[in-house]
Amino acid sequence: MEQANQNTYDIAVIGAGPAGAVFVKELAEARPELKIILIDGQSSDSAKPCGGLLAPDAQKLLARFNLVLPKSVLEDPQIFAVETIDIQQKLVRYYQRHYLNMDRFAFDQWLLSLVPSCVTIQNGRCTEISQGENGYLIGIKHNNADTEIKAKAVVGADGGGSVVRRTFFKPMQVQYVAIQQWFENKGQKAPYYSCIFDAKTSDSCSWTIHKGNHVIFGGAFDKHECRRAFEAQKTRLEDFLGNSFGEAVKTEACLVSSPRSMGDFCTGSGSIFLMGEAAGFISASSFEGLSSAMFSGKMLADAFTKGTSHGEVQKLYKRSTRSLRRKLRMKSIKRMFLCTPFTRRLIMKSGLQSIQPYEKSKFGQS
Ligand SMILES: Cc1cc2nc3c(=O)[nH]c(=O)nc-3n(C[C@H](O)[C@H](O)[C@H](O)COP(=O)(O)OP(=O)(O)OC[C@H]3O[C@@H](n4cnc5c(N)ncnc54)[C@H](O)[C@@H]3O)c2cc1C
């Protein structure tokens, strides 16, 4: 009996990315009497593949939390513009950007360090969730050992490949495989930060970003033959830039969601809640998702603070994320214009909102 109580929680949160960490931090501060467990198996070897760029919306949220970013989270160099390249149509434009270049794993670890000590943090991967008599049974695997816990409510903050969403709800209509390769920075030509389009190899976008002594090339590709498309695009980009990236020191991949309609957003039902990318909260035009993850985490924490039943929490949470869903729906419309070669050509040719670099001083090293 004692053992059963020890393993029973009010809320089990699967995933300690920005959505999970913010949710748990905010809720545990507001309602320390709740028994919360946060489950995640992330380590520096299995860090989330990410560009690690903190967009203005995410910066604004940190300001609203009255948080300041430690210098140790920042990466070298900081960037002021994105070089937008259409390989197939041979177009290049520069647009001003106000992003912070970060070490994504360090950012996640910093957010996690803000979680109050009354929260149980469990290392491991959630392997399955099923409905029990008075709540949910959650299977966890860690170091080849299996454990099981019980929870009255489950919060899925487990990203694009969400096991919670897969188990209980309709999947996203469109998901790509995001592949990133890291190369040693040997002075090869590669823009400090670029957004790359190449209709021949993907109907989505790719990017290069410099991080300390490394250059990252990554992109989002159709699940079918994603690796072949990635390699083909890398070769085409290398030809475009006029040099090779060299030997990759690290290759990482994960699913990334691309919401296309309001039906792709799912905040949960009953005693199961979804946040961040698991809920479909990510920009389809840029894959910016940190702001939506943190915002939805805060909104769900507020709903749990005010709601007196899981049903009421669902209602409050759905209502408070309405503006986010609308904003992200607009991003999916923007995506249509950016990812269609004809409209992209018109936008890039028009020069609208672009900046003109001075002669011989292109941004980045291309
Ligand atoms: C390649 C790539 C580049 C991106 N670049 C940017 C960028 O530059 N800027 C930006 O704002 N957004 C970017 N995004 C989007 C951003 O990474 C996500 O939208 C954001 O991380 C979502 O936060 P989250 O907390 O919802 O999920 P995640 O950050 O994905 O966190 C989910 C957590 O759940 C854990 N988890 C998953 N499954 C399980 C399980 N079964 N059991 C236990 N734990 C589990 C994972 O270990 C992870 O820690 C990028 C995405 C990709 C794929």
Side-chain angles (χ1 to χ4, degrees):
M1 191 62 193
E2 178 61 14
Q3 185 64 27
N5 282 337
Q6 267 180 10
N7 285 336
T8 303
Y9 294 86
D10 294 309
I11 305 172
V13 184
I14 321 294
V22 165
F23 168 71
V24 162
K25 171 192 173 297
E26 291 293 305
L27 185 58
E29 280 172 3
R31 293 192 57 190
E33 78 283 5
L34 286 176
K35 207 173 159 202
I36 306 173
I37 184 167
L38 179 59
I39 305 155
D40 200 308
Q42 194 182 155
S43 68
S44 56
D45 295 335
S46 63
K48 161 99 181 175
C50 183
L53 298 178
L54 195 74
D57 279 352
Q59 296 172 29
K60 203 187 287 174
L61 259 179
L62 293 182
R64 292 186 74 186
F65 286 127
N66 200 16
L67 286 173
V68 287
L69 205 61
K71 189 176 157 195
S72 56
V73 167
L74 294 179
E75 270 287 12
D76 195 31
Q78 293 304 316
I79 50 178
F80 304 111
V82 59
E83 182 171 336
T84 303
I85 300 171
D86 185 324
I87 299 179
Q88 201 176 26
Q89 306 192 80
K90 297 190 170 43
L91 294 170
V92 179
R93 282 281 181 199
Y94 301 89
Y95 300 91
Q96 190 177 10
R97 285 293 176 268
H98 304 277
Y99 296 152
L100 288 175
N101 191 8
M102 304 187 302
D103 174 333
R104 172 61 203 268
F105 183 65
F107 178 70
D108 283 11
Q109 292 300 299
W110 167 68
L111 278 181
L112 207 51
S113 73
L114 307 174
V115 170
S117 58
C118 59
V119 173
T120 304
I121 299 184
Q122 164 116 29
N123 237 315
R125 308 278 309 166
C126 164
T127 47
E128 61 175 323
I129 310 163
S130 57
Q131 179 124 39
E133 250 175 54
N134 295 315
Y136 295 89
L137 302 174
I138 298 161
I140 303 165
K141 196 177 227 21
H142 180 53
N143 285 344
N144 287 328
D146 292 310
T147 49
E148 191 174 77
I149 59 147
K150 291 179 189 166
K152 293 176 198 156
V154 176
V155 174
D158 45 348
S162 173
V163 65
V164 183
R165 180 149 186 173
R166 216 178 323 132
T167 307
F168 297 100
F169 305 104
K170 220 172 77 185
M172 299 287 300
Q173 290 175 64
V174 180
Q175 284 197 309
Y176 293 99
V177 177
I179 304 177
Q180 284 198 151
Q181 278 190 334
W182 293 61
F183 305 90
E184 222 176 284
N185 187 354
K186 291 180 172 162
Q188 63 272 60
K189 285 184 186 170
Y192 286 123
Y193 172 43
S194 67
C195 176
I196 298 148
F197 295 97
D198 181 33
K200 210 170 161 67
T201 45
S202 175
D203 68 355
S204 185
C205 63
S206 299
W207 51 86
T208 59
I209 304 173
H210 284 228
K211 299 259 177 207
N213 296 326
H214 293 98
V215 177
I216 299 177
F217 165 61
F221 300 89
D222 192 288
K223 282 182 195 169
H224 179 66
E225 294 204 30
C226 52
R227 190 57 199 257
R228 191 197 50 75
F230 171 83
E231 292 298 338
Q233 188 179 99
K234 188 171 68 176
T235 305
R236 283 167 63 77
L237 179 63
E238 288 174 333
D239 290 347
F240 188 88
L241 297 172
N243 69 178
S244 154
F245 285 113
E247 202 59 35
V249 292
K250 181 164 75 172
T251 301
E252 48 192 15
C254 68
L255 286 175
V256 64
S257 303
S258 182
R260 299 293 161 91
S261 69
M262 286 305 239
D264 270 335
F265 306 121
C266 173
T267 48
S269 76
S271 299
I272 309 268
F273 302 84
L274 294 175
M275 299 187 303
E277 206 181 321
F281 294 154
I282 182 169
S283 161
S285 59
S286 65
F287 295 121
E288 193 279 324
L290 293 172
S291 63
S292 306
M294 293 191 288
F295 178 76
S296 56
K298 168 68 175 157
M299 291 303 108
L300 187 56
D302 285 355
F304 263 102
T305 306
K306 291 181 197 139
T308 51
S309 66
H310 289 164
E312 199 184 340
V313 174
Q314 290 285 6
K315 270 191 209 149
L316 290 168
Y317 177 49
K318 194 159 186 181
R319 195 181 307 150
S320 63
T321 50
R322 195 182 292 149
S323 60
L324 175 64
R325 291 197 297 276
R326 283 206 201 106
K327 183 178 96 175
L328 294 175
R329 177 68 186 109
M330 294 310 290
K331 299 280 184 189
S332 67
I333 294 169
K334 181 177 174 189
R335 180 206 166 271
M336 258 169 25
F337 287 101
L338 289 180
C339 292
T340 303
F342 174 70
T343 41
R344 181 167 64 242
R345 185 178 180 81
L346 288 182
I347 295 165
M348 289 182 75
K349 280 274 183 191
S350 78
L352 198 71
Q353 292 192 329
S354 70
I355 46 179
Q356 187 66 37
Y358 294 123
E359 278 295 299
K360 291 188 188 162
S361 56
K362 276 179 146 190
F363 305 118
Q365 297 162 307
S366 65

